[in-house]
Amino acid sequence: MKVSLFKKYFIYLLFVFLSISQTFAQESADDEIDSAVKTLRNIDVNKLTEDDKKNKSDEINKSWETLRSSGDAGLKRIKKELDLIEKAKESDDFFKLNVSVLLWDMGKTSEAAAIAKIWNNTSFDVNYRYVFYTALDAARTQNEKVMPMLKSVLKDNVSQVDSPQHSMSIPWPLTVEIIWGVYGHKGLPELLNVLKTSRNNVEIMSAMHILVNAQYIDALPKIRELTNSKNHEIKNSAIKALGLFGHPMDSALLIKGLKSRDADLYSYVWAACEYDDSKLTPYLIPLLNDKDYNIKAEVVYALFNAITVEGLNALINDYKKAKDDKVIELYKKYIDPVLDFNKYDMMTIEEKNKIVLNLFERKKNYYLLGDEDKKITHDDFVEMSKYWIKENRISGEKYEWVNDRHVLSVTTAKDIDLLMDIKSSVYLRLSDECLYEIRTIDNVIKILGRRRYR
């Protein structure tokens, strides 16, 4: 009987001991979490020396590890601190951006809404790297749950991120283009909704930039409306966008803008160059006399891009009387490889027509397969696309012979979504080289988009 009582007593003491141990362990863990949160609070990077920054970086990393390893307890403690900051109306943007990275690392898509709430009420300039790379990782999931995060980044046109390993800086709008580009074509309807409903000027311009590069035709009516915007930046972005879309309905608006010579003239000339239609030539020629070099240079590009005998005559005459060294160098680049302008006046109209025809054919043939070119089918293009998506590039030995004209020979606007998927993969290399490939794809998309109406 005594032995039995002793056992019960021993078991009771053991239970009490374990409970006390667990309590102490929990309190110790809570103390560590609190300490980790405290370490991340009220950091002013601008007041830190280089040595301080290194030490602080080490402290931040240790705090991150503590919070990561604490699981749900760490998540709850972070959110509690965010609530305290909000209620106290404190400004600790570095902390909020810092823990937004942790929320993503620890909860992924389940924490997307919480991260978006942070970003919507925080200035990005204290550490844009936290935002950019977290948003980029979220975009890679292509999960609709991250959409609030991606929409949050559209508001910022000031911050940029540096990529030392690739010796490149990524400013706006390339920042939002890359993030949304990685998400892919499924994000375009949401961007159109932003374009239609947002009252934030930067969000509107960010959305417009991405939609235009995708030749998203549903955005065109709203963009036409925005050419009447009272906001100068939005208006000029919309004018340029019409040039990139190149829709026949918009030639009258561009002509009116070229004739008006108002404060938006540069944007109209830029748009005319991208619009690439000789019907604008008579309205561009008088602008060769503009004293603004940037406008004059765009006029030269535009006239040469949609070359006609009338435009060539005007360019040659302006070249003869040019005195500005920059203008002379510009003409040397475009005119000298084509003809000797001193002999131009002695040419017959037939010879001048032949020069124009040759220039026109050279540009056209760049996008048309020649007899000597290898031919492909649409099925071949689909197989190539799978390879490019897998390899995150459109370069490489297997298909190094493929050019724009090969793709254009078998694709239509229906293939733009697939081309956007290729872009999504290529962006992930995040380098100067990948951006050259992106612009190649953008040009193919632009041509395919225009084939719907030109």
Side-chain angles (χ1 to χ4, degrees), residues 96-130:
K96 290 193 286 185
L97 295 184
N98 194 311
V99 297
S100 71
V101 181
L102 275 172
L103 289 176
W104 176 255
D105 284 352
M106 297 167 72
K108 298 300 181 184
T109 58
S110 63
E111 296 298 333
I115 295 167
K117 181 181 178 182
I118 293 171
W119 289 355
N120 285 334
N121 299 285
T122 308
S123 174
F124 291 166
D125 58 1
V126 293
N127 196 322
Y128 187 64
R129 290 178 65 85
Y130 285 152

Side-chain angles (χ1 to χ4, degrees), residues 16-224:
V16 171
F17 176 75
L18 289 173
S19 298
I20 293 172
S21 298
Q22 289 173 354
T23 300
F24 278 120
Q26 183 62 49
E27 289 177 352
S28 177
D30 289 344
D31 288 342
E32 287 185 8
I33 292 172
D34 284 338
S35 177
V37 170
K38 185 177 180 180
T39 298
L40 300 177
R41 290 283 269 123
N42 299 311
I43 298 173
D44 188 343
V45 179
N46 295 323
K47 292 182 179 180
L48 301 178
T49 65
E50 289 305 313
D51 287 340
D52 289 338
K53 288 179 182 178
K54 184 180 183 304
N55 292 333
K56 182 59 69 175
S57 179
D58 291 339
E59 290 177 9
I60 290 173
N61 287 335
K62 289 178 182 178
S63 295
W64 279 20
E65 286 305 313
T66 297
L67 291 167
R68 281 196 189 103
S69 62
S70 65
D72 288 342
L75 279 172
K76 289 178 181 178
R77 183 62 184 84
I78 290 170
K79 291 180 180 180
K80 178 182 176 182
E81 194 71 17
L82 288 169
D83 287 340
L84 291 171
I85 291 171
E86 184 176 358
K87 289 176 182 177
K89 296 182 179 180
E90 289 185 60
S91 177
D92 194 351
D93 288 348
F94 189 90
F95 172 79
K96 290 193 286 185
L97 295 184
N98 194 311
V99 297
S100 71
V101 181
L102 275 172
L103 289 176
W104 176 255
D105 284 352
M106 297 167 72
K108 298 300 181 184
T109 58
S110 63
E111 296 298 333
I115 295 167
K117 181 181 178 182
I118 293 171
W119 289 355
N120 285 334
N121 299 285
T122 308
S123 174
F124 291 166
D125 58 1
V126 293
N127 196 322
Y128 187 64
R129 290 178 65 85
Y130 285 152
V131 176
F132 180 81
Y133 287 107
T134 303
L136 194 65
D137 199 37
R140 292 181 68 168
T141 68
Q142 297 185 346
N143 187 316
E144 62 180 11
K145 289 183 179 180
V146 306
M147 191 56 66
M149 292 173 62
L150 304 194
K151 288 171 69 175
S152 296
V153 305
L154 295 172
K155 69 176 182 177
D156 182 275
N157 67 341
V158 177
S159 305
Q160 69 173 40
V161 65
D162 295 320
S163 180
Q165 64 268 39
H166 296 293
S167 301
M168 65 182 291
S169 293
I170 306 172
W172 179 88
L174 187 56
T175 46
V176 294
E177 176 191 324
I178 291 173
I179 291 168
W180 280 82
V182 168
Y183 189 85
H185 71 273
K186 292 180 182 178
L188 298 177
E190 191 61 43
L191 284 168
L192 178 57
N193 186 51
V194 171
L195 189 71
K196 289 180 175 180
T197 63
S198 177
R199 294 187 178 183
N200 181 295
N201 294 335
V202 178
E203 285 182 354
I204 291 170
M205 288 188 292
S206 295
M208 196 184 327
H209 174 77
I210 302 164
L211 290 165
V212 173
N213 281 341
Q215 287 287 305
Y216 198 64
I217 193 69
D218 291 349
L220 192 48
K222 182 60 181 179
I223 291 173
R224 287 178 178 136

Side-chain angles (χ1 to χ4, degrees), residues 249-262:
M249 281 180 57
D250 298 312
S251 61
L253 184 145
L254 296 181
I255 288 171
K256 182 180 179 181
L258 293 172
K259 291 168 66 177
S260 69
R261 301 196 183 194
D262 61 15

Side-chain angles (χ1 to χ4, degrees), residues 195-419:
L195 189 71
K196 289 180 175 180
T197 63
S198 177
R199 294 187 178 183
N200 181 295
N201 294 335
V202 178
E203 285 182 354
I204 291 170
M205 288 188 292
S206 295
M208 196 184 327
H209 174 77
I210 302 164
L211 290 165
V212 173
N213 281 341
Q215 287 287 305
Y216 198 64
I217 193 69
D218 291 349
L220 192 48
K222 182 60 181 179
I223 291 173
R224 287 178 178 136
E225 288 181 25
L226 293 174
T227 60
N228 296 312
S229 174
K230 293 181 180 179
N231 180 277
H232 179 76
E233 291 179 310
I234 289 178
K235 179 180 180 179
N236 282 273
S237 295
I239 291 168
K240 292 178 178 179
L242 293 186
L244 288 165
F245 271 108
H247 198 287
M249 281 180 57
D250 298 312
S251 61
L253 184 145
L254 296 181
I255 288 171
K256 182 180 179 181
L258 293 172
K259 291 168 66 177
S260 69
R261 301 196 183 194
D262 61 15
D264 305 306
L265 180 58
Y266 176 81
S267 294
Y268 282 111
V269 176
W270 190 98
C273 183
E274 292 293 332
Y275 194 78
D276 189 12
D277 192 326
S278 60
K279 72 171 62 174
L280 303 185
T281 296
Y283 308 97
L284 286 163
I285 289 174
L287 299 177
L288 283 171
N289 296 319
D290 199 286
K291 294 181 181 180
D292 185 324
Y293 171 78
N294 291 323
I295 291 176
K296 186 184 182 75
E298 282 298 330
V299 173
V300 173
Y301 303 148
L303 289 173
F304 206 82
N305 202 29
I307 195 70
T308 63
V309 172
E310 182 186 14
L312 187 58
N313 287 340
L315 290 170
I316 295 297
N317 289 333
D318 194 63
Y319 188 6
K320 288 179 180 179
K321 62 183 182 183
K323 295 181 181 180
D324 185 288
D325 289 341
K326 289 194 296 183
V327 174
I328 293 171
E329 286 302 313
L330 184 64
Y331 277 125
K332 283 182 177 179
K333 177 181 177 181
Y334 282 93
I335 301 297
D336 286 8
V338 177
L339 56 87
D340 182 346
F341 78 89
N342 290 310
K343 298 179 180 179
Y344 185 75
D345 288 341
M346 295 180 287
M347 291 181 181
T348 64
I349 186 64
E350 289 78 13
E351 290 173 323
K352 294 176 181 179
N353 281 330
K354 186 176 181 180
I355 291 172
V356 169
L357 181 63
N358 287 340
L359 288 171
F360 180 78
E361 290 295 321
R362 184 191 304 174
K363 185 175 74 169
K364 185 180 73 172
N365 289 340
Y366 183 79
Y367 298 111
L368 294 176
L369 287 183
D371 294 336
E372 71 286 357
D373 280 318
K374 187 175 181 178
K375 307 301 188 289
I376 67 171
T377 65
H378 188 268
D379 287 343
D380 292 332
F381 166 68
V382 172
E383 286 303 309
M384 291 173 182
S385 299
K386 293 176 182 177
Y387 175 80
W388 291 330
I389 290 170
K390 179 183 176 183
E391 297 296 319
N392 306 117
R393 65 180 65 246
I394 59 171
S395 55
E397 294 182 5
K398 187 171 183 179
Y399 294 119
E400 65 179 354
W401 53 272
V402 177
N403 208 313
D404 301 25
R405 59 185 179 271
H406 293 93
V407 175
L408 287 166
S409 70
V410 296
T411 52
T412 68
K414 293 179 180 179
D415 295 297
I416 289 178
D417 283 354
L418 181 51
L419 287 162

